[in-house]
Amino acid sequence: MPKTILIVDDSSTMLMSVKATLEMNGYAVETAADGCKAMSKLRAGLKADMIITDINMPNMGGMELIQQVRGLPGYRFKPILTLTTESQAAKRDEARRLGATGWLVKPVAGPELVSVVRQVMPG
C-alpha cells in the first residue's frame, strides 16, 4: 500500500505539479487548498503519512496548520515539510518550533522534492 502525502497549497498549479511528481514516484496524494480544508480532511479520517504545506495561504496558513496537526491524535511525530517562497531564518525557526520537520523553498525540482520526502518519510 503506497504512503499517503497530504499537500496543502492555495496555488492549484503548485498542487498539480507536486501531486504529479509524487504520484510518479509511487505515493498516494491528497490535496487541500488551505489549512482549514486540510484539517477538515484529517478530522474526517484521512490518514496522511506526511504533510507538505505552504506557509502563506488564506483562511489558515501553514504555521497554524502545523500547530493544529501536532495536536491531532497520531500526528505528533508525522513528518511535516513546508514548501514555500519564504526563506527568512526567523520564519524557518518558528516553523521548527511549531513542529515542522523540514523547510523547502519554492521552486523545488522534482528529484530534489522526492529525495527529501524519502529522507524524512518513515519506513
Side-chain angles (χ1 to χ4, degrees), residues 69-121:
V69 166
R70 288 297 180 222
L72 291 174
Y75 282 90
R76 188 159 165 219
F77 301 110
K78 296 268 185 197
I80 301 175
L81 294 177
T82 61
L83 180 57
T84 180
T85 55
E86 295 283 349
S87 57
Q88 300 163 325
K91 292 254 188 196
R92 195 175 298 186
D93 292 344
E94 182 185 356
R96 270 227 168 78
R97 186 178 55 73
L98 293 172
T101 311
W103 185 278
L104 297 165
V105 178
K106 294 176 186 175
V108 174
E112 183 187 348
L113 175 65
V114 171
S115 171
V116 172
V117 166
R118 286 188 178 134
Q119 282 174 17
V120 299
M121 179 80 76

Side-chain angles (χ1 to χ4, degrees), residues 37-99:
K37 290 181 174 75
M39 286 304 295
S40 292
K41 285 188 172 199
L42 293 168
R43 286 192 185 111
L46 172 65
K47 297 279 183 247
D49 296 292
M50 171 185 279
I51 297 169
I52 299 175
T53 183
D54 188 11
I55 292 299
N56 300 309
M57 296 178 288
N59 304 317
M60 183 194 293
M63 297 292 192
E64 190 179 340
L65 175 63
I66 292 166
Q67 196 169 17
Q68 288 202 18
V69 166
R70 288 297 180 222
L72 291 174
Y75 282 90
R76 188 159 165 219
F77 301 110
K78 296 268 185 197
I80 301 175
L81 294 177
T82 61
L83 180 57
T84 180
T85 55
E86 295 283 349
S87 57
Q88 300 163 325
K91 292 254 188 196
R92 195 175 298 186
D93 292 344
E94 182 185 356
R96 270 227 168 78
R97 186 178 55 73
L98 293 172

Side-chain angles (χ1 to χ4, degrees), residues 7-29:
I7 310 165
V8 189
D9 200 310
D10 58 327
S11 161
S12 57
T13 306
M14 203 65 205
L15 286 176
M16 284 188 312
S17 168
V18 174
K19 180 177 179 163
T21 298
L22 293 172
E23 285 179 341
M24 283 189 303
N25 284 276
Y27 296 101
V29 177

